[in-house]
Amino acid sequence: NRFETSRQSRVRCPSPPIYFVPLRCCRLVRFPISSPSNHSSPPHQRDLGSMASPQCCANPPTLNPAAGEGKVVDSFGGIKAYVAGAQESKAAVVLISDVYGFDAPNLRKIADKVASSGYFVVVPDFLHGDPFVPEDADRPIAVWIKEHTPGKAFEEAKPVIAALKEQGASSVGAAGYCWGAKVVAELAKANEIQAAVMSHPSFVTVDDIKEVKCPIAILGAETDKTSP
C-alpha cells in the first residue's frame, strides 16, 4: 500500500464537510461501484462478486501476525483485534482493512502512527482469520466476498465502538481501505462515528455519501475508473 499524495482539494458543501484527496496508488482500480438506480438489493450486497480489473487485488501484502508495535487481543467488542495507543485516550479510531485483513504489516504501521498522535486505535479482524488469497483458485474473489460482505463487518463494528465508549472514548472515528471503506460509509450513515476516512473505496455509492452524518474524507486513487 505505497502511495503518494499528489494534490488536495476541498469540496465545499453543506454540513458535514467532505474532503477529497487524490492519490497516486500502486493498486489503481478497485471493485466496481454500483449505480443505486439499477439495483433493488441492499447497498452492501450489490456487485460484490464483480471485478473491475486484475489490478484490484494485485500486489498483496506479506501477512505477519507479529507485526506492529501494539498487541493483538483475543476480544475487543467480541472480536479479535490489533490495538495500539493509550487505552485511556478520549479519542479513538477504528481502522478497517482491505480484503487482506488485519495482519498486513503496513496497515499496522499506520495504526501505530495514528496511535503516536494520541489516539487509541483498534484494527478488528473482521475477516476472522480468512483473508483473500489470490493464489487460491478454488476461492476467487467472487466466491470469497460472499462470505465476507461489508454488511457483516458493519454489524460487527457496532460492539467494537460500544466497547470504546465504555472504556471512556468520547469521540470515535473510523478509516477503511477499499473493502473496509464501505464499512466506514455504513458506520457514517448510521451515526455510529464522529469522523470517517475512506481510502480508494469500493462499493460506495453517491447515495451512501448523501446519507453520511459526520465529516468524511475520501482518499481516492489517481486513476480509478470505477470510483473516479
Side-chain angles (χ1 to χ4, degrees):
N1 288 340
R2 296 188 302 272
F3 48 75
E4 173 189 353
T5 302
S6 57
R7 59 192 181 275
Q8 179 171 347
S9 59
R10 177 171 178 172
V11 180
R12 297 189 179 278
C13 61
S15 180
I18 300 174
Y19 298 89
F20 180 76
V21 184
L23 302 175
R24 295 182 185 275
C25 182
C26 62
R27 285 186 277 170
L28 298 178
V29 182
R30 316 311 305 173
F31 292 103
I33 308 300
S34 58
S35 170
S37 61
N38 294 335
H39 300 275
S40 58
S41 57
H44 63 267
Q45 294 178 355
R46 297 174 185 153
D47 290 349
L48 296 188
S50 301
M51 289 291 290
S53 162
Q55 290 175 305
C56 189
C57 294
N59 194 28
T62 300
L63 302 181
N64 180 5
E69 299 175 5
K71 63 180 180 180
V72 175
V73 296
D74 290 332
S75 178
F76 193 96
I79 193 168
K80 189 176 183 179
Y82 175 82
V83 298
Q87 193 165 346
E88 64 274 14
S89 176
K90 298 298 182 182
V93 173
V94 180
L95 189 60
I96 305 173
S97 75
D98 58 11
V99 297
Y100 295 112
F102 87 137
D103 285 337
N106 281 355
L107 182 68
R108 293 191 180 184
K109 285 181 181 178
I110 292 169
D112 294 341
K113 181 69 173 179
V114 175
S116 71
S117 296
Y119 297 90
F120 181 68
V121 184
V122 181
V123 188
D125 180 18
F126 288 133
L127 305 183
H128 300 280
D130 184 34
F132 175 62
V133 179
E135 297 81 13
D136 187 351
D138 294 330
R139 293 182 80 202
I141 191 70
V143 174
W144 180 92
I145 202 73
K146 291 178 181 179
E147 300 172 12
H148 300 287
T149 66
K152 290 181 181 179
F154 163 62
E155 295 297 334
E156 292 179 342
K158 294 178 183 178
V160 173
I161 294 170
L164 287 169
K165 293 180 178 178
E166 287 174 8
Q167 74 176 25
S170 57
S171 181
V172 178
Y177 293 85
C178 190
W179 174 92
K182 175 62 174 178
V183 183
V184 171
E186 294 299 317
L187 291 171
K189 289 161 57 179
N191 206 23
E192 290 280 345
I193 53 179
Q194 282 68 62
V197 178
M198 304 189 302
S199 294
H200 43 86
S202 296
F203 315 134
V204 178
T205 67
V206 172
D207 283 352
D208 285 334
I209 300 301
K210 289 179 179 179
E211 294 179 32
V212 299
K213 297 177 176 64
C214 66
I216 184 167
I218 303 170
L219 285 71
E222 184 181 46
T223 306
D224 190 337
K225 293 181 175 62
T226 59
S227 184

